[in-house]
């Protein structure tokens, strides 16, 4: 059909149903993240790693987030594979996830085959295999998620409306993956459906974890297939001019235009879009190209950082310093301090049963948290416009302060309840407040995933800076606290007698300081402030 006079030329658009399929891979990725968060910290303690050192396994998050994903993003930008720029990395990432999950799931069996004595409380070979699998899983997830986002950007191009819609699909599937993953972690009888998972070296909790991760592999493979077969990705070729050392650093907004129509397109639409590339009117509407900032660029950028960005970095660092102890040990807290259990290799012992009952209940709490996170994300933008983003950020930190401090009160009453004869778990007056803490924390988590990034984008645009580099600098304020918590939270807890409360209470104090700093230091943003929606950091294990 001919275009009406005065109308812009038609764009080469991927159908919306194809964008939905591309975004569906987020459900598979987040399903695995949810299982990793809810089950792996407890499981590694069953293998024999002491509680004070369990946090060290999470060091891979900031390391892979800071180095692996930017490098993968860079090379996927200039990939000349005949299968496209992004899809080879997506498929490779999915394969690595499968290998990592199988390594983790069978770590106890492989350790036993290599000589671990099941009578010992520490299984060194299984621990080594588990840590290798765990780090490989983090590397694989970071390899996978960047190209997934970039593929959506390639298919939506410069159409801001379709880009927002595609990212909304992506966020929706992230929420679905989180809810399904945490629900899977909350169920404790998956081994009934996969009886071969239980072996001599793999008891019931181990078999349940193995079965849950196999289900995660199935979900990831299905969603990856749907994503990479959703639409044609045209191979990219380096431009003949404007090159540097043989290639030009492409961006996620480089047009990918097939010579043949996509599903639902006519030949005329393809002709129109090729002609439209030469339309100078498009130059006035180009959005700023956002690319991954490599680590050395971030270090250089810190020298000329405006004062307001230092304030944002400070509040962000204090906020994440508060978050990470709980994020890494939430289900462990439910098993240890609320249910008064302990991870042991004797699966029938009362302590072990109580501990894993608590872990599964904690996974249920995380599922509730994901629901609250999704609901809160819908009201953040109007709330920021009404009372200001700095106050919204401070309010979120105040909720964190109360919730993390509340874990001490809940722990106290859980210990009192455990003194009653015939104790088989916390009573409802203890369990319900614990679940409320899990659920309510979804509200400030939504704030943490949106307001800092929106403020950074607003002030960067106002000062004329680069968005990609600014987001990379902001990620430093996430990575550094995660390294500090991963290295220091275990010894800090042990210094005060063990358990998780010392790190949680330190997190409460950090959240309070961050909230005060948000009120006192962050100025009112430019009138064009808009909440950017949920943004997952490269290093954070949460959506």
């Amino acid at each position: 059909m001919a275009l009406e006079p005065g109308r812009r030329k038609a764009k080469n658009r991927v159908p919306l149903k194809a964008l939905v399929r591309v975004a569906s891979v987020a459900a598979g990725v987040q399903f695995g993240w949810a299982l990793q968060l809810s089950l792996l910290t407890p499981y590694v303690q069953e293998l024999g790693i002491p509680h004070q050192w369990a946090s060290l396994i999470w060091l891979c998050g900031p390391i892979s987030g800071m180095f692996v994903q930017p490098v993968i993003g860079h090379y996927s930008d200039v990939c000349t594979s005949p299968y496209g720029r992004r899809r080879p990395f997506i498929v490779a990432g999915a394969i690595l996830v499968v290998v990592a999950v199988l390594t983790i799931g069978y770590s106890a069996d492989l350790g036993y085959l290599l000589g671990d004595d099941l009578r010992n409380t520490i299984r060194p070979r299984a621990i080594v295999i588990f840590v290798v699998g765990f780090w490989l899983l983090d590397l694989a997830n970071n390899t996978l998620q960047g190209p997934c986002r970039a593929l959506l950007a390639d298919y939506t191009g410069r159409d801001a409306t379709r880009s927002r819609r595609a990212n909304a699909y992506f966020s929706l599937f992230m929420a679905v993956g989180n809810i399904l993953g945490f629900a899977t972690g909350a169920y404790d009888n998956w081994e009934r459906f996969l009886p071969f998972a239980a072996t001599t070296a793999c008891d019931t909790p181990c078999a349940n974890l193995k079965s849950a991760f196999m289900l995660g592999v199935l979900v990831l493979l299905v969603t990856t297939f749907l994503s990479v077969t959703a639409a044609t990705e045209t191979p990219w070729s380096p431009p003949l001019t404007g090159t540097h050392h043989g290639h030009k650093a492409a961006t996620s907004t480089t047009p990918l235009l097939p010579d043949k129509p996509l599903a639902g397109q006519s030949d005329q639409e393809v002709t129109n879009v090729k002609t439209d590339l030469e339309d100078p009117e498009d130059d006035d509407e180009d959005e700023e190209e956002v690319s991954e900032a490599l680590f050395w660029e971030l270090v250089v950028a810190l020298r000329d950082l405006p004062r307001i960005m230092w304030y944002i970095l400070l509040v962000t660092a204090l906020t994440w310093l508060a978050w990470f102890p709980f994020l890494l040990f939430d289900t462990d807290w439910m098993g240890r301090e609320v249910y008064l259990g302990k991870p042991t290799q004797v699966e029938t012992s009362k302590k072990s049963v109580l501990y894993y009952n608590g872990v599964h209940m904690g996974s249920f709490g995380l599922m509730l948290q994901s629901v609250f996170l999704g609901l809160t994300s819908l009201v953040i933008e109007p709330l920021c416009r009404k009372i200001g983003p700095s106050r919204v950020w401070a309010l979120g930190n105040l909720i964190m302060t109360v919730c993390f401090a509340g874990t001490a009160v809940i722990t106290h009453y859980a210990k009192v309840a455990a003194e009653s004869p015939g104790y088989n778990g916390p009573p409802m007056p203890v369990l319900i407040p614990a679940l409320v803490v899990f659920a309510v924390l979804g509200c400030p988590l939504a704030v943490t995933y949106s307001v800092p990034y929106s403020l950074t984008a607003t002030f960067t645009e106002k000062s004329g800076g680069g968005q990609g580099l600014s987001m990379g600098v902001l990620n430093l304020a996430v990575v550094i606290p995660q390294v500090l918590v991963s290295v220091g939270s275990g010894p800090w807890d042990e210094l005060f007698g063990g358990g998780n409360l010392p790190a949680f209470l330190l997190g409460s104090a950090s959240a309070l300081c961050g909230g005060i700093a948000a009120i006192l230091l962050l100025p009112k943003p430019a009138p064009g402030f808009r909440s950017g929606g949920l943004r997952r950091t490269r290093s954070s294990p949460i959506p």
Side-chain angles (χ1 to χ4, degrees), residues 229-246:
T229 59
T232 302
E233 186 186 9
T234 301
W236 180 80
S237 298
L240 298 179
T241 60
T243 60
H244 179 66
H245 295 299

Side-chain angles (χ1 to χ4, degrees), residues 208-472:
N208 187 68
L209 177 143
K210 187 189 298 183
S211 303
F213 270 97
M214 286 183 179
L215 181 61
V217 165
L218 179 62
V219 173
L220 178 64
L221 291 178
V222 171
T223 55
T224 300
F225 176 79
L226 291 175
S227 179
V228 299
T229 59
T232 302
E233 186 186 9
T234 301
W236 180 80
S237 298
L240 298 179
T241 60
T243 60
H244 179 66
H245 295 299
H247 67 76
K248 178 182 177 181
T251 67
S252 61
T253 56
T254 302
L256 298 178
L257 304 175
D259 293 327
K260 59 182 180 180
L262 300 172
Q265 275 191 313
S266 65
D267 291 326
Q268 182 61 41
E269 289 176 317
V270 175
T271 303
N272 286 338
V273 70
K274 290 181 179 179
T275 305
D276 196 45
L277 275 178
E278 303 172 358
D279 189 353
E281 294 179 6
D282 280 348
D283 296 338
D284 298 331
E285 299 183 359
D286 289 354
E287 295 182 357
E288 180 180 359
E289 296 178 344
V290 178
S291 60
E292 294 282 1
L294 297 180
F295 181 75
W296 46 89
E297 293 177 302
L298 304 182
V299 174
V300 173
L302 289 174
R303 296 183 307 181
D304 303 317
L305 208 61
R307 178 180 298 180
I308 179 58
M309 273 304 300
W310 281 111
Y311 291 156
I312 294 176
L313 291 180
L314 173 63
V315 180
T316 301
L318 289 171
T319 301
W320 280 107
L321 192 63
W323 269 122
F324 278 120
F326 188 80
L327 295 178
L328 301 186
F329 289 99
D330 41 21
T331 56
D332 185 71
W333 170 71
M334 187 69 96
R336 284 180 181 272
E337 276 94 342
V338 179
Y339 275 74
L340 280 301
K342 185 178 180 181
T344 66
Q345 295 181 15
V346 184
E347 62 177 294
T348 57
S349 71
K350 184 176 181 179
K351 286 288 187 182
S352 180
V353 171
L354 286 173
Y355 179 77
Y356 280 101
N357 285 343
V359 168
H360 295 303
M361 187 58 67
S363 297
F364 177 72
L366 289 173
M367 184 190 73
L368 297 178
Q369 185 182 103
S370 296
V371 174
F372 272 67
L373 185 151
L375 294 176
T376 303
S377 67
L378 301 177
V379 301
I380 287 180
E381 182 171 339
L383 191 60
C384 286
R385 291 182 178 276
K386 187 175 181 62
I387 67 174
S390 60
R391 289 185 175 88
V392 171
W393 197 347
L395 178 61
N397 279 37
L398 177 61
I399 295 173
M400 293 165 59
T401 300
V402 174
C403 287
F404 295 151
T407 59
V409 178
I410 295 170
T411 298
H412 170 73
Y413 283 103
K415 290 180 179 178
V416 172
E419 296 174 357
S420 60
Y423 176 79
N424 285 312
M428 285 299 171
V430 173
L431 183 58
I432 290 178
L435 290 176
V436 168
V437 166
F438 272 84
V440 171
L441 281 172
C443 301
L445 190 60
V447 174
T448 305
Y449 275 119
S450 58
V451 174
Y453 300 94
S454 298
L455 283 174
T456 299
T458 300
F459 287 113
T460 298
E461 182 179 359
K462 185 178 179 181
S463 63
Q467 294 286 2
L469 192 59
S470 296
M471 292 301 172

Side-chain angles (χ1 to χ4, degrees), residues 469-537:
L469 192 59
S470 296
M471 292 301 172
V473 170
L474 185 65
N475 195 55
L476 288 175
V478 182
V479 169
I480 294 174
Q482 187 174 359
V483 171
L484 292 176
V485 171
S486 297
V487 173
S489 63
W492 173 263
D493 288 334
E494 197 65 20
L495 183 64
F496 291 92
N500 297 296
L501 282 185
F504 286 5
L505 294 178
L506 184 63
S508 179
S510 180
L512 180 60
C513 292
I516 295 173
I519 291 293
L520 298 180
L521 299 179
L522 299 182
K524 184 178 180 180
F529 174 84
R530 289 183 61 86
S531 171
L534 296 182
R535 289 289 299 262
R536 184 185 185 282
T537 68

